[in-house]
Amino acid sequence: MEKRRLGSTGLEVTRLGFGAFKVGRNQKIKYPEPYPLPSDAEARRLLNSVLDSGINYIDTAPAYGSSEERIGRSLAHRRQEFVLSTKAGETFRQGQSRYCYSRQAIERSVSESLERLKTAWVDILFLHSNGEDMAIQLQSDAVAALVDLKQRGLTRAIGFSGYTSQGFRTALEWADVIMVEFNARNTEHRPVLELARKMERGVVVKKGLASGRLAPRRAIQFLAADPYVDTLLIGSLNPQHLAEDIAALAVPGAETES
């Protein structure tokens, strides 16, 4: 699978990455249909099949239920084979999201994530926004905490997973990577993607299939043809659907040169 340079991070990621939300959480979801969580054995097979398929980027978060733990148990022995990102700022316990952006909370979150993931570092650490993008960045210690964690070698790059164009533009001043909702139905942040490229920041697209509301093949081809999208996160639990998503990239005209 084709790889793209992720901004100026020094990382190279495949055009499709795997978003591991469904591996660990099925409560308070935004998908149109409910789904059962995979068993530990099913999760192990799926995560290894993701790497075996050629995908080299996996994204998770503390707010994704048991996702981090399952990635750690399933893939710790293959840690050098893939780019790994997680987040800080949001947790999900007893069916509820909780947000805290103090330095202490961020540092504790990352320490716990590394333990669950069975790794000494992550490649990208995103700040997980609750929607108040500007307040988080300007009125908390969160950004300073991420910068410090990068300097300490606990993450190779830092990023912002947010909601608003203003928030993303502010994040481009300090973040190496931004994670943006972008799809055929929602192109609101296209100017942000263009600015990110000019500033040599990486662009990871979330909700590229509009949380399961867009036909996968066309949605993937739409994003694969966009020169400002470095990688698109997909999250199917079905190995056949995963193979079909990868095959969509091979359709003539679906990919462009970086």
Side-chain angles (χ1 to χ4, degrees):
M1 190 185 302
E2 178 196 1
K3 294 180 182 177
R4 284 258 177 116
R5 184 169 58 102
L6 193 61
S8 57
T9 63
L11 300 168
E12 289 192 345
V13 292
T14 44
R15 297 304 310 279
L16 292 181
F18 185 75
F21 182 97
K22 290 183 177 179
V23 169
R25 176 176 158 187
N26 63 355
Q27 295 177 292
K28 299 293 180 68
I29 61 175
K30 297 180 180 179
Y31 297 93
E33 299 294 335
Y35 54 88
L37 286 181
S39 67
D40 285 346
E42 290 169 336
R44 185 178 304 109
R45 286 194 295 270
L46 175 68
L47 289 165
N48 278 277
S49 72
V50 166
L51 299 187
D52 293 341
S53 73
I55 291 174
N56 84 332
Y57 173 38
I58 295 177
D59 173 72
T60 184
Y64 294 176
S66 60
S67 176
E68 288 185 323
E69 292 175 338
R70 287 180 157 187
I71 290 170
R73 289 197 298 265
S74 302
L75 298 179
H77 65 295
R78 304 181 69 173
R79 180 65 186 90
Q80 299 290 342
E81 297 180 36
F82 66 102
V83 174
L84 175 63
S85 65
T86 192
K87 306 178 185 72
E90 179 185 1
T91 58
F92 186 82
R93 296 189 179 99
Q94 298 178 335
Q96 294 293 329
S97 283
R98 292 176 175 82
Y99 300 90
C100 188
Y101 299 102
S102 69
R103 179 184 291 272
Q104 182 181 18
I106 296 292
E107 291 182 349
R108 182 173 61 250
S109 174
V110 172
S111 176
E112 292 172 354
S113 287
L114 294 177
E115 183 175 354
R116 287 189 291 264
L117 290 163
K118 300 184 185 302
T119 183
W121 85 102
V122 291
D123 295 291
I124 312 167
L125 176 63
F126 288 100
L127 193 54
H128 210 169
S129 175
N130 62 358
E132 298 179 6
D133 290 0
M134 297 302 292
I136 294 167
Q137 295 180 77
L138 302 180
Q139 299 174 24
S140 79
D141 298 327
V143 172
L146 262 64
V147 171
D148 183 58
L149 288 164
K150 179 182 175 182
Q151 292 174 343
R152 290 162 52 190
L154 299 182
T155 181
R156 294 179 62 181
I158 54 178
F160 187 69
S161 177
Y163 292 88
T164 67
S165 290
Q166 185 182 17
F168 287 123
R169 289 177 183 276
T170 299
L172 289 173
E173 298 297 328
W174 59 267
D176 302 303
V177 186
I178 56 174
M179 183 179 289
V180 184
E181 179 175 346
F182 187 71
N183 56 60
R185 287 185 181 177
N186 180 5
T187 59
E188 172 190 358
H189 299 308
R190 178 58 187 266
V192 169
L193 271 60
E194 296 178 10
L195 179 60
R197 175 58 59 86
K198 290 179 183 178
M199 296 179 69
E200 294 190 45
R201 305 295 194 255
V203 172
V204 176
V205 165
K206 59 183 177 181
K207 296 183 174 63
L209 278 62
S211 297
R213 292 172 174 83
L214 291 174
R217 179 169 173 170
R218 289 188 178 182
I220 290 170
Q221 290 175 6
F222 171 82
L223 292 166
D226 193 304
Y228 300 107
V229 174
D230 294 319
T231 185
L232 159 67
L233 294 174
I234 57 174
S236 177
L237 295 176
N238 184 314
Q240 179 59 38
H241 292 168
L242 183 67
E244 291 170 358
D245 291 345
I246 294 170
L249 285 176
V251 176
E255 298 188 28
T256 59
E257 294 297 322
S258 57

